[in-house]
Amino acid sequence: MVRTKKRLGDLLIEAGLITQEQLEAALSVKGPKKRLGEALVERGLITEQQLIEVLEIQLGIPHISLFSYPFDKNLLTLIPKEMARRHLVIPLKKEGDKLFVALSDPMDFLAIDDLRLSTGFQIEVAIATKDDIVRTINKYYNTDEGLEEFLDDLPTRETAREDDVSDLDSPVVRLVNMILSNAASNRASDIHIDPQETKLVVRYRIDGVLRVERVLPKSMQNVLGARIKIMANLDITEYRIPQDGRIKLNLDFHPIDLRVSTLPTVFGEKIVMRLLDMGSTLNDLTKLGFNQLNFKRFTDMIEKPTGIVLITGPTGSGKSSTLYAALNRLNSEEVNIITIEDPVEYQLEGINQIQVNQNVGMTFATGLRSILRQDPNIVMVGEIRDKETVDVAIRASLTGHLVLSTLHTNDSLGTITRLIDMGVEPFMVASALSGIVAQRLVRKVCRDCAEFEEPSKRELDIFAKRGIRIEKVPRGRGCSSCNMTGYKGRIALHEVLVINDDLRRLIMDGETFQAMRELAVQNRTIFLIDDGLLKIKQGLTTTEEVLRVAILE
């Protein structure tokens, strides 16, 4: 029987994964060198796992999960690490003159020919996700060869020799590169190197949760710290005071920027590296998870010519990403945008960014005063930390500038109280503020293993208390795609408070927090808990995640 081969787009529509409109939109923006599947995955319309399942039907090629596959390590010598990385391929098994491999792109005939010529085997292909292959390459090719002999020699000396930390072939340099590339492939946001009494622990923060990646001998501490300091241009002889630096490098042909911070502890220096992915698409406001009402309110706020818009939340709640996305939306040739940050995290084209430097007296307040002489339309202050900065920011907003900034508070209404506590007159707060956005990040349920189940009695009570009906709640079963956690990626919860005339009157009259809250409820403000519950209803996250970051009142 002759089977007619359907096009990938038609198969995805038939499977109910995308609509005809989404297909046409993806085809219109996809470049000539990019495959349709890649474009759809990048736009977040389908997951890589869903694409593979459809390709399996279209091409008749089996798909495979590498998470617990019984690898024969002897086969790894057939395909060198560089080739495995270049073609995203991993050898699976050998039968006679056939070598079975997993490829992320089964239609890459150049890679298949290259493998056939270099190994001398006939190549049989299975499909695996790109993440799965990269994780497997990092796990099996990056063995700690050479480290043992190196460690045997270490305890006899106190400090690292220059050769050990700068020679590109030395074991410690390979180890640091391996820690960085594993972090990038696991989409970690931070790397923690924690010195303990008898060991050195390397942890990754993935989707907001720390987990141990590896435990190293205590004797590695000096050389590992020295290597990272050399990369970040820090003083390797100074270990009594905190230091900050940056590392810029290419990992797997991908530019990565690392912010490095060292801190002396009783067991030695703790090093934390924040990964700033320069290829990240976080600069699009529509991809930050705002619901429709909040999105409209937020865009109305930032499109006003004057006023202060504050984004609040704890450290690591995505405030900077929201600020950058807002600046990206406002960025055009007609406006002069100047930012003052500590540190400058992402460099944005067409925007003048200033780095705070306390050592030479360049603080947020002094920098902000100088900015106002530069004829700006929009000013972004990285963080409001003191009364001096807030005073200059308020004056700037009252003299015809739009000011965007962040503040550490628990919720949107608490920000008003905090500003008044900082010594700002209530009438100044009322006249300068345009709006406040409180934000938190929660983990998203993995789309590849999400299942819907009946809500528990407690969940029904929580939803009923907020006046929301719920029939099913999502849970992640755990799969190779999400490292068996049931979660993959993060999404923001928002509480957008618009400062209207009624609220201004309450602020100027010194009314209670409760009175302001009642008015916010009347104005249909969606509080953090409500936004979280709505995202559970949409199948994006779980009740546990929402209750981890939002208070149920």
Side-chain angles (χ1 to χ4, degrees):
M1 185 181 124
V2 180
R3 201 161 59 109
T4 55
K5 191 173 161 192
K6 291 193 174 181
R7 290 186 306 177
L8 177 63
D10 297 333
L11 282 167
L12 289 166
I13 290 170
E14 266 178 40
L17 296 172
I18 59 169
T19 63
Q20 185 67 41
E21 293 74 37
Q22 287 172 328
L23 173 63
E24 284 163 12
L27 287 168
S28 65
V29 295
K30 155 183 107 66
K33 290 186 179 175
K34 189 170 280 185
R35 294 178 187 275
L36 173 64
E38 264 181 85
L40 290 166
V41 171
E42 271 181 24
R43 288 168 76 90
L45 297 172
I46 57 171
T47 68
E48 211 179 343
Q49 192 67 37
Q50 289 168 334
L51 173 64
I52 279 176
E53 284 165 12
V54 172
L55 279 174
E56 184 179 21
I57 299 165
Q58 189 199 29
L59 305 171
I61 295 172
H63 92 269
I64 191 165
S65 167
L66 305 177
F67 190 77
S68 53
Y69 191 86
F71 284 99
D72 178 357
K73 292 192 180 180
N74 296 326
L75 290 180
L76 299 176
T77 54
L78 292 172
I79 300 176
K81 181 179 168 184
E82 283 64 37
M83 184 183 275
R85 278 188 181 284
R86 188 168 68 247
H87 295 314
L88 287 175
V89 62
I90 200 92
L92 299 172
K93 61 180 180 178
K94 190 171 69 173
E95 281 181 10
D97 66 341
K98 287 182 180 174
L99 178 66
F100 290 79
V101 299
L103 266 172
S104 71
D105 181 1
M107 304 298 285
D108 190 346
F109 299 116
L110 287 173
I112 294 167
D113 278 351
D114 198 2
L115 290 166
R116 188 168 47 79
L117 290 167
S118 68
T119 62
F121 286 92
Q122 290 300 315
I123 303 297
E124 292 287 328
V125 176
I127 321 173
T129 65
K130 183 179 170 184
D131 285 353
D132 221 357
I133 291 176
V134 169
R135 202 181 296 128
T136 307
I137 290 171
N138 286 334
K139 184 176 177 183
Y140 289 100
Y141 278 96
N142 289 331
T143 51
D144 300 348
E145 63 220 273
L147 272 181
E148 285 77 10
E149 307 94 83
F150 179 66
L151 290 172
D152 291 341
D153 189 30
L154 259 179
T156 58
R157 48 193 177 172
E158 282 300 306
T159 57
R161 288 204 311 252
E162 188 67 30
D163 292 353
D164 295 330
V165 291
S166 49
D167 177 7
L168 293 180
D169 286 327
S170 87
V172 72
V173 171
R174 290 208 312 274
L175 175 66
V176 170
N177 290 348
M178 183 169 40
I179 288 170
L180 296 180
S181 77
N182 280 0
S185 66
N186 280 308
R187 294 196 178 89
S189 60
D190 301 84
I191 304 167
H192 288 239
I193 296 172
D194 296 327
Q196 295 180 8
E197 192 170 6
T198 57
K199 59 192 176 188
L200 191 65
V201 179
V202 179
R203 295 187 294 168
Y204 291 165
R205 188 178 292 282
I206 299 169
D207 291 338
V209 178
L210 277 169
R211 68 171 173 78
V212 174
E213 167 66 12
R214 55 170 62 214
V215 177
L216 295 166
K218 182 74 174 171
S219 48
M220 284 293 302
Q221 190 171 309
N222 285 339
V223 281
L224 196 69
R227 172 61 190 160
I228 291 167
K229 283 180 171 181
I230 283 173
M231 291 172 81
N233 288 324
L234 300 178
D235 182 355
I236 65 168
T237 61
E238 182 56 79
Y239 46 84
R240 294 158 304 172
I241 57 169
Q243 295 188 70
D244 290 308
R246 278 189 106 129
I247 300 172
K248 277 193 175 182
L249 72 161
N250 273 326
L251 282 176
D252 305 332
F253 319 106
H254 196 65
I256 296 281
D257 204 354
L258 292 137
R259 216 167 76 199
V260 182
S261 167
T262 72
L263 186 75
T265 72
V266 286
F267 296 125
E269 277 185 301
K270 175 177 167 70
I271 299 173
V272 176
M273 293 179 273
R274 162 72 54 92
L275 278 85
L276 307 168
D277 186 346
M278 305 317 280
S280 169
T281 53
L282 277 179
N283 289 336
D284 187 348
L285 212 51
T286 58
K287 292 182 181 167
L288 295 184
F290 278 99
N291 73 35
Q292 285 179 329
L293 180 63
N294 279 346
F295 184 75
K296 180 166 187 335
R297 286 178 170 179
F298 183 59
T299 48
D300 287 349
M301 271 178 213
I302 61 172
E303 282 164 6
K304 283 182 180 171
T306 63
I308 296 182
V309 176
L310 290 176
I311 297 174
T312 77
T315 308
S317 59
K319 299 188 297 292
S320 298
S321 298
T322 306
L323 273 183
Y324 282 120
L327 288 179
N328 223 30
R329 187 182 177 92
L330 298 169
N331 191 8
S332 71
E333 288 179 7
E334 292 83 50
V335 291
N336 178 20
I337 302 176
I338 307 181
T339 76
I340 178 154
E341 304 166 61
D342 182 23
V344 173
E345 288 190 18
Y346 295 98
Q347 279 135 28
L348 299 174
E349 202 175 331
I351 290 177
N352 310 287
Q353 294 171 277
I354 301 167
Q355 170 81 47
V356 164
N357 187 345
Q358 304 279 358
N359 299 336
V360 294
M362 172 64 110
T363 62
F364 278 119
T366 53
L368 189 48
R369 282 196 189 90
S370 307
I371 286 172
L372 297 178
R373 299 187 201 109
Q374 291 277 319
D375 183 33
N377 300 89
I378 299 163
V379 177
M380 191 267 264
V381 184
E383 191 184 331
I384 288 177
R385 294 177 183 167
D386 51 39
K387 170 121 181 359
E388 192 183 5
T389 312
V390 78
D391 283 344
V392 184
I394 284 174
R395 274 208 301 281
S397 75
L398 294 175
T399 52
H401 303 92
L402 174 66
V403 181
L404 305 177
S405 190
T406 69
L407 195 65
H408 288 277
T409 58
N410 284 334
D411 57 13
S412 54
L413 286 164
T415 307
I416 297 168
T417 319
R418 172 83 200 280
L419 289 170
I420 294 167
D421 286 347
M422 283 170 88
V424 183
E425 292 293 337
F427 76 91
M428 295 283 267
V429 174
S431 46
L433 271 184
S434 294
I436 302 161
V437 179
Q439 180 170 316
R440 298 289 186 281
L441 289 178
V442 290
R443 290 184 291 170
K444 281 162 74 175
V445 172
C446 172
R447 282 169 64 179
D448 291 323
C449 62
E451 292 176 337
F452 282 86
E453 55 184 52
E454 295 291 322
S456 66
K457 186 179 183 311
R458 180 162 183 257
E459 284 173 322
L460 286 169
D461 291 346
I462 290 166
F463 277 88
K465 195 174 178 185
R466 306 301 298 182
I468 301 171
R469 282 173 59 86
I470 186 79
E471 287 165 15
K472 296 272 188 225
V473 291
R475 290 272 183 280
R477 192 176 60 249
C479 64
S480 61
S481 182
C482 60
N483 241 345
M484 306 310 285
T485 60
Y487 297 100
K488 189 173 184 186
R490 288 193 288 176
I491 194 166
L493 307 185
H494 299 101
E495 177 176 304
V496 180
L497 181 72
V498 179
I499 310 291
N500 60 12
D501 291 340
D502 293 336
L503 192 51
R504 284 196 176 92
R505 206 168 296 117
L506 292 187
I507 297 168
M508 287 197 274
D509 293 347
E511 284 288 351
T512 62
F513 182 88
Q514 193 54 40
M516 290 193 282
R517 185 174 175 83
E518 282 165 15
L519 183 62
V521 171
Q522 284 170 32
N523 291 338
R524 290 178 56 218
T525 300
I526 298 169
F527 293 100
L528 278 171
I529 186 76
D530 301 320
D531 195 31
L533 297 181
L534 291 169
K535 285 187 167 74
I536 296 168
K537 198 170 178 178
Q538 290 172 286
L540 295 172
T541 188
T542 61
T543 315
E544 293 82 2
E545 276 297 292
V546 170
L547 294 180
R548 188 170 61 83
V549 299
I551 299 164
L552 184 67
E553 289 149 12

